Amino acid sequence: MSNDAERVRLEQAGGAKVPWKKWGPYLSERQWGTVREDYSQDGNAWDYFSHDQARSRAYHWGEDGLAGISDEKQLLCFSIALWNGKDPILKERLFGLTNSESNHGEDVKEYYFYLDSTPTHSYMKYLYKYPQAEFPYTDLIETSKLRNRGDMEYELLDTGIFNSDRYFDVFVEYAKRSPEDILIQISVCNRGPETASLQVLPTLWFRNTWTWWEGTPKPILTQVPSEKSVAVAASHSTLGERWWYCEGDVPLLFTENETNNERIFGTSNLSPWVKDGIDNYVVHGKKDAVNPARSGTKAAAQYRLNVGPGQTATIRLRLSDLAPGVVSDPFESFDETMEVRQSEADDFYRGITPERASDDEALVLRQAMAGMLWSKQYFGFEVSKWLQEHGADPLRRNAQQMRNSEWFHMVNDHVISMPDKWEYPWFAAWDLAFQAIALSVVDVDLAKEQLDLLLQEFFLHPTGQIPAYEWNFSDVNPPVHAWASIFLYRREQGLKGKGDLEFLKRSFAKLIVNFTWWVNRKDRFGKNLFEGGFLGLDNIGVFDRSAPLPTGGHLEQADGTAWVSLFCQNMFEISCELAAHDPFFEDMAIKFADHFLLIAHAMNQMGASGMWDEEDGFYYDVLRLPDDSSTRLKVRSMVGLLPLCATTIIEPSQRERVPRVTKILRERLQRMPELRDSIHPTGVGHLGYAERGIVALVNPQRLRRILTCMLDEGEFLSPYGIRALSRYHAEHPYLFNVNGQEYRVNYLPAESDTGMFGGNSNWRGPVWMPVNVLLIRALLSFYLYYGDSFKIECPTGSGNLMNLFEVAREIANRLTRIFLRDTSGRRPVYGGTEKFQTDPQWKDYILFYEYFHGDNGAGLGASHQTGWTGLVGGLIDLFGRIDGAQYLNAGKAAVFARQESTGKKKVA
């Protein structure tokens, strides 16, 4: 294919429906410990199905593995297993601590990296670092138990197991010859000083569907003759026939992907060959643990390697729809195809990398996108069946109530972008919206599909609520789907010259239902002031915002109200876009404009009971007590910055396309000055640069006061972005007393010191990528209105005046700086971990953490949450393409237009 080979594949996958994406990295990295696999009485998913059980117990709803792939329905799976001759078990899956075992919540204790992937997965590369000494499972568990929330986590490097570099780098690469023909290369490099032995067991298996769904035919794997390799035939009633070729005269081991009842439950097995049969054969020498007839539903090739110091051993495999009779030599032109696909991947990333980006920025962008693409996972979960299996049939009178009972309509059977395939191997609503934005850098069709999913009838609740996440689908995430929808529409418009109107219509129809749910359920008294609970900001509040308040009463949330205000603006912009093609939508545009005006009037009211504090120049949540008295909860947090984000620019061309809407809204503001005066001035006499209009909660005076606080390095402005909580609270903790009990909010730049919301994340000081990106969007919007007429000190007190584009770019640079080498060659993301900072075999492999230390930028939380942290790739892309003058003159379209690279850019 040409230099645009991957783009051609993307077009084929979209328009012609060529199944280039049928096979991909759709295995989870942790299926154990999930709600889907939990059949306990107390809902303790972590303890019901443990890592120790995973090698022996068949999963119900999905599969996991190491560096693995599957088809899009996860019927046939492939991954690798490893044994260094010392571990007590095969390394078939990643190990980590559960929420109760670790001092800061669940945490994977392995080192693995997503190095590369094209959008169609025509080429992928993964790295796993496997110790040569016995893996310290017990040490990790027992030492972690001794640590408290004030201590650092005990990591795998801390055990000393990587001392003297006695480990293997295991690289796994995939290259597709065609949509159904996949080459697999495993390269094992010994980084240690001595020759070391290793068994590598590439493994092919069927997800167990026959045990759980009555009448489902059982598939089979069988060894078959092949002239120049060892081969396995895989036969499945739905998937059809596939063949797996293994280079060399390698022994094949077969067993069944069925539970070892004897080990797990103390009952007899239905078959002598069970899920852990290959583990028992290899590690424990049980020769009768595998099927001598060489058939089953799980098979592994047993490669025994001895690798010299600094040497690399290579294993080549092929999973294909071509039978041995058709393929005379399965590995003919193998190396050439692998090289071509890698070269095409280079071409693809060269084409999307801005020429102004440095080599290090190109590296970060590419690995960010690789992580986004590797984090796609098959998610299977039929909630009604799951409930019935618990004895909680939701449609029976007096049925037992349990987790997610009201979501029995849900049928999940899709490949979905995950926040983190180990720590969060389940979709989360607002995460997915940000993930779609990040994915649109490489694959706008995939991004749209992901947004579409949660709005379809098998996800969206009949009431209109979007499901939050599997631990509690009824929890409430911020309503950012509409923003993501119009963003993706504009992105495609910029890329292809035409937006997808059908996608926009479809999204709009479902989002109306969701908006109605917000208005009916989260505006308790119809005052246009919204609640919502934790709203994704876990422990940011004085109290657990999703639990009954210790004071009684309720919260009027500044962030909840700002989110719904942004929702209104997004729906207004969508309906205007649709109305330009169909006047039917004009009335909807007027409706959402009215909603916005009412919310702004309620939120911006002056006085002691309002959210805006004139003395502090900041927005706060309001605690409304049962006697209707109220008090502001004066925590200087992201909650008070989010009203900035409810800002949208109206280009002159947008007004001209909907003249009736423009006329009616202009008349309404003239008739109702109270509404007009509660928002940022706009309309006739108040148009901005290039006659642009603005829809914003925050007026110019409040904008300046909030930004003065936000850009203060003693408050929100960190060297690495905007903190979620002001550093002011380090010396001035916020205290609130209820009946003798003190509630406190301190500035905590690293991990949480409480168990609120599981204690595995912290919004009291660290830097979080998604809200930073929304703040950057807000600054860019205000810049389009003001141009150079609005400047502010950045940092506050520095005397350095910047326009708002420059401020946005400064924040983006600080965020990007987290991952880039500094002048001493160190990456802030890795803090004081010397192995990652100085070792040439570690320092250029990037991990995209969940959040970042508020003072030094070190990565915290989930280590592979490329999810929304992958947005950093979009920042490198955006600010590598546009400058302030170009953006000001071109308007919003500049964000979405992409100029093709000349191809001169070096690709990392």
Side-chain angles (χ1 to χ4, degrees):
M1 299 177 94
S2 70
N3 287 342
D4 294 325
E6 181 61 17
R7 292 184 184 277
V8 171
R9 281 189 285 267
L10 279 171
E11 291 171 3
Q12 291 174 341
K17 304 300 181 185
V18 179
W20 280 109
K21 299 178 186 178
K22 180 174 180 177
W23 295 85
Y26 308 144
L27 274 186
S28 177
E29 280 161 350
R30 178 175 62 81
Q31 184 71 12
W32 59 273
T34 61
V35 168
R36 306 185 294 290
E37 300 295 339
D38 177 27
Y39 288 82
S40 66
Q41 292 300 308
D42 60 358
N44 188 335
W46 286 109
D47 290 347
Y48 177 76
F49 201 135
S50 67
H51 175 272
D52 182 59
Q53 293 179 341
R55 69 181 182 275
S56 307
R57 190 173 179 181
Y59 294 126
H60 189 341
W61 297 100
E63 295 288 341
D64 58 19
L66 189 61
I69 63 171
S70 77
D71 64 278
E72 61 193 352
K73 296 300 182 184
Q74 209 179 84
L75 299 173
L76 183 60
C77 309
F78 170 87
S79 72
I80 63 169
L82 306 166
W83 191 52
N84 57 16
K86 302 179 182 68
D87 285 353
I89 59 174
L90 282 181
K91 177 64 68 174
E92 294 180 277
R93 57 187 50 80
L94 297 167
F95 171 74
L97 302 184
T98 68
N99 186 272
S100 62
E101 289 174 335
S102 179
N103 55 324
H104 293 295
E106 61 267 30
D107 188 44
V108 67
K109 300 298 183 185
E110 307 267 19
Y111 297 113
Y112 58 103
F113 307 88
Y114 307 124
L115 298 184
D116 213 353
S117 181
T118 57
T120 64
H121 309 299
S122 59
Y123 178 76
M124 298 192 295
K125 188 175 185 179
Y126 180 110
L127 168 61
Y128 174 71
K129 291 182 177 286
Y130 185 44
Q132 293 172 4
E134 180 179 341
F135 195 90
Y137 293 105
T138 302
D139 181 23
L140 287 165
I141 294 171
E142 296 303 321
T143 302
S144 294
K145 284 181 180 178
L146 302 176
R147 300 199 173 191
N148 60 40
R149 292 196 181 276
D151 296 327
M152 298 282 286
E153 292 181 354
Y154 187 56
E155 302 293 2
L156 186 56
L157 275 171
D158 298 330
T159 69
I161 200 165
F162 287 98
N163 292 353
S164 303
D165 292 329
R166 296 179 187 274
Y167 69 93
F168 298 103
D169 268 345
V170 183
F171 295 92
V172 183
E173 295 173 89
Y174 297 91
K176 293 181 180 178
R177 290 173 59 99
S178 71
E180 297 274 11
D181 196 354
I182 306 166
L183 308 183
I184 306 165
Q185 180 167 284
I186 304 168
S187 303
V188 179
C189 182
N190 179 4
R191 300 298 184 193
E194 301 167 352
T195 298
S197 61
L198 174 69
Q199 289 195 40
V200 179
L201 295 104
T203 306
L204 189 72
W205 74 101
F206 288 110
R207 175 163 64 94
N208 188 325
T209 55
W210 56 93
T211 296
W212 314 106
W213 280 270
E214 187 176 351
T216 300
K218 186 175 179 179
I220 189 168
L221 301 171
T222 309
Q223 184 167 351
V224 294
S226 178
E227 290 185 9
K228 297 186 178 181
S229 70
V230 173
V232 173
S235 180
H236 190 283
S237 60
T238 302
L239 190 63
E241 306 294 323
R242 298 293 185 282
W243 289 268
W244 183 41
Y245 301 97
C246 307
E247 189 174 40
D249 187 17
V250 58
L252 296 176
L253 310 175
F254 289 82
T255 189
E256 300 292 344
N257 183 22
E258 296 178 353
T259 298
N260 184 341
N261 293 312
E262 186 176 317
R263 175 174 183 261
I264 300 299
F265 302 115
T267 59
S268 60
N269 290 324
L270 300 177
S271 162
W273 304 295
V274 287
K275 184 177 178 180
D276 56 9
I278 294 171
D279 176 271
N280 286 328
Y281 178 91
V282 173
V283 178
H284 305 290
K286 297 182 179 179
K287 302 305 179 185
D288 60 351
V290 296
N291 188 347
R294 298 184 181 181
S295 67
T297 49
K298 179 179 179 181
Q302 187 180 22
Y303 288 92
R304 300 173 184 267
L305 306 178
N306 284 291
V307 190
Q311 301 299 305
T312 299
T314 301
I315 295 167
R316 303 194 304 177
L317 311 154
R318 182 174 175 183
L319 181 60
S320 178
D321 59 347
L322 302 176
V326 178
V327 179
S328 58
D329 182 356
F331 301 100
E332 183 180 6
S333 72
F334 183 103
D335 294 342
E336 292 86 344
T337 302
M338 189 70 69
E339 290 173 7
V340 167
R341 292 294 178 264
Q342 184 172 11
S343 176
E344 291 169 351
D346 291 344
D347 290 338
F348 176 78
Y349 280 101
R350 187 177 293 110
I352 68 167
T353 303
E355 293 180 10
R356 287 187 290 192
S358 68
D359 291 345
D360 205 23
E361 287 174 322
L363 175 82
V364 172
L365 188 156
R366 186 164 181 171
Q367 290 191 31
M369 293 301 106
M372 294 298 309
L373 293 164
W374 268 96
S375 295
K376 293 159 65 177
Q377 174 192 310
Y378 170 79
F379 188 89
F381 193 20
E382 186 178 340
V383 178
S384 63
K385 178 176 174 60
W386 183 80
L387 289 168
Q388 289 167 10
E389 290 168 344
H390 281 77
D393 187 336
L395 297 180
R396 294 181 59 184
R397 181 186 291 271
N398 300 321
Q400 172 190 349
Q401 289 297 303
M402 60 176 297
R403 174 183 284 140
N404 296 325
S405 290
E406 63 272 34
W407 291 85
F408 59 87
H409 73 286
M410 286 186 69
V411 181
N412 305 161
D413 185 35
H414 307 84
V415 171
I416 308 180
S417 173
M418 297 290 130
D420 179 316
K421 289 207 296 186
W422 193 93
E423 189 150 336
Y424 304 117
W426 29 261
F427 68 85
W430 82 308
D431 297 59
L432 190 61
F434 287 106
Q435 288 156 212
I437 299 293
L439 284 165
S440 71
V441 173
V442 291
D443 188 351
V444 72
D445 287 336
L446 169 64
K448 290 190 302 178
E449 289 167 9
Q450 293 297 297
L451 272 191
D452 229 4
L453 273 180
L454 296 196
L455 299 179
Q456 292 183 20
E457 65 278 3
F458 34 76
F459 282 86
L460 189 72
H461 196 275
T463 63
Q465 185 177 9
I466 295 175
Y469 45 80
E470 68 170 24
W471 289 93
N472 183 4
F473 286 132
S474 292
D475 223 331
V476 184
N477 276 186
V480 287
H481 251 67
W483 165 64
S485 296
I486 188 62
F487 183 98
L488 294 184
Y489 176 83
R490 300 292 186 207
R491 168 78 81 181
E492 190 166 25
Q493 213 171 28
L495 291 174
K496 302 179 181 179
K498 183 180 180 181
D500 186 346
L501 271 175
E502 289 306 311
F503 162 75
L504 203 60
K505 284 182 184 178
R506 192 166 60 248
S507 299
F508 184 72
K510 297 299 181 69
L511 286 167
I512 288 174
V513 182
N514 180 237
F515 183 86
T516 303
W517 178 87
W518 271 92
V519 171
N520 289 340
R521 299 294 181 93
K522 296 303 171 184
D523 178 11
R524 185 181 299 226
F525 298 107
K527 295 181 178 180
N528 298 297
L529 296 171
F530 290 82
E531 301 171 62
F534 90 116
L535 284 176
L537 309 185
D538 296 28
N539 65 338
I540 204 166
V542 183
F543 315 116
D544 181 343
R545 299 195 303 171
S546 288
L549 300 176
T551 60
H554 67 280
L555 286 178
E556 294 170 351
Q557 295 180 216
D559 57 336
T561 306
W563 285 123
V564 179
S565 179
L566 176 62
F567 195 177
C568 290
Q569 293 177 19
N570 302 144
M571 293 296 277
F572 172 71
E573 185 173 4
I574 292 172
S575 52
C576 284
E577 181 67 23
L578 296 175
H581 299 272
D582 184 348
F584 171 84
F585 293 95
E586 289 180 350
D587 289 345
M588 299 306 299
I590 296 164
K591 164 192 165 65
F592 285 108
D594 286 345
H595 271 294
F596 165 72
L597 291 170
L598 293 171
I599 292 169
H601 181 258
M603 185 172 187
N604 284 327
Q605 64 182 316
M606 304 293 287
S609 64
M611 293 178 179
W612 174 256
D613 189 294
E614 184 62 24
E615 181 180 356
D616 292 356
F618 208 73
Y619 287 98
Y620 299 114
D621 284 348
V622 173
L623 174 61
R624 188 75 58 182
L625 296 168
D627 63 1
D628 203 37
S629 63
S630 64
T631 185
R632 295 191 188 105
L633 300 177
K634 291 194 172 186
V635 180
R636 297 169 80 86
S637 75
M638 186 60 66
V639 165
L641 299 181
L642 285 171
L644 293 175
C645 300
T647 303
T648 299
I649 290 298
I650 307 298
E651 298 282 0
S653 60
Q654 291 179 282
R655 292 196 302 271
E656 292 163 3
R657 297 173 76 196
V658 285
R660 174 174 171 264
V661 173
T662 302
K663 179 175 180 291
I664 289 174
L665 294 179
R666 184 178 298 148
E667 292 172 350
R668 183 150 301 173
L669 290 175
Q670 289 173 344
R671 286 199 312 271
M672 300 180 179
E674 299 88 353
L675 296 182
R676 181 191 63 211
D677 294 344
S678 64
I679 62 173
H680 188 291
T682 192
V684 177
H686 298 286
L687 296 178
Y689 186 91
E691 299 296 297
R692 293 185 179 110
I694 189 170
V695 182
L697 270 180
V698 177
N699 66 30
Q701 295 75 32
R702 292 183 182 183
L703 171 64
R704 188 169 294 277
R705 296 191 70 184
I706 295 171
L707 289 181
T708 298
C709 178
M710 187 180 90
L711 300 177
D712 187 336
E713 291 182 313
E715 292 221 36
F716 286 97
L717 184 61
S718 157
Y720 303 101
I722 303 299
R723 302 176 175 108
L725 186 83
S726 171
R727 207 175 190 283
Y728 169 84
H729 291 301
E731 289 77 34
H732 306 88
Y734 181 78
L735 304 176
F736 195 92
N737 287 282
V738 180
N739 300 324
Q741 182 175 350
E742 181 181 271
Y743 293 83
R744 172 186 293 256
V745 176
N746 291 76
Y747 172 71
L748 301 169
E751 302 282 11
S752 172
D753 63 355
T754 78
M756 191 184 295
F757 269 87
N760 61 337
S761 65
N762 180 28
W763 284 82
R764 295 184 176 181
V767 173
W768 289 76
M769 190 67 69
V771 286
N772 269 260
V773 165
L774 281 173
L775 289 170
I776 288 170
R777 172 196 174 273
L779 291 166
L780 291 175
S781 296
F782 280 117
Y783 174 69
L784 284 180
Y785 180 84
Y786 285 109
D788 287 329
S789 69
F790 187 110
K791 292 191 176 183
I792 195 163
E793 279 187 313
C794 181
T796 298
S798 67
N800 181 32
L801 291 176
M802 293 186 182
N803 64 39
L804 295 183
F805 180 90
E806 292 166 335
V807 174
R809 184 173 57 196
E810 175 64 20
I811 295 171
N813 288 343
R814 291 181 182 224
L815 292 165
T816 306
R817 191 184 302 159
I818 292 171
F819 306 97
L820 299 176
R821 291 184 188 173
D822 61 19
T823 54
S824 63
R826 300 172 71 87
R827 301 184 190 275
V829 64
Y830 289 132
T833 308
E834 288 304 310
K835 193 74 171 172
F836 276 102
Q837 295 290 15
T838 59
D839 192 312
Q841 304 302 336
W842 294 68
K843 65 182 183 180
D844 288 333
Y845 300 135
I846 313 299
L847 292 177
F848 297 87
Y849 285 82
E850 184 179 4
Y851 53 99
F852 303 90
H853 194 290
D855 296 335
N856 63 36
L860 299 164
S863 59
H864 289 71
Q865 191 156 348
T866 321
W868 58 27
T869 302
L871 288 163
V872 71
L875 295 178
I876 292 171
D877 170 53
L878 176 62
F879 288 98
R881 286 189 290 108
I882 64 172
D883 57 32
Q886 175 188 355
Y887 180 55
L888 189 60
N889 290 316
K892 289 193 291 188
V895 172
F896 306 105
R898 173 176 288 143
Q899 293 179 345
E900 292 302 321
S901 169
T902 62
K904 297 178 181 178
K905 182 69 198 172
K906 178 182 176 182
V907 173

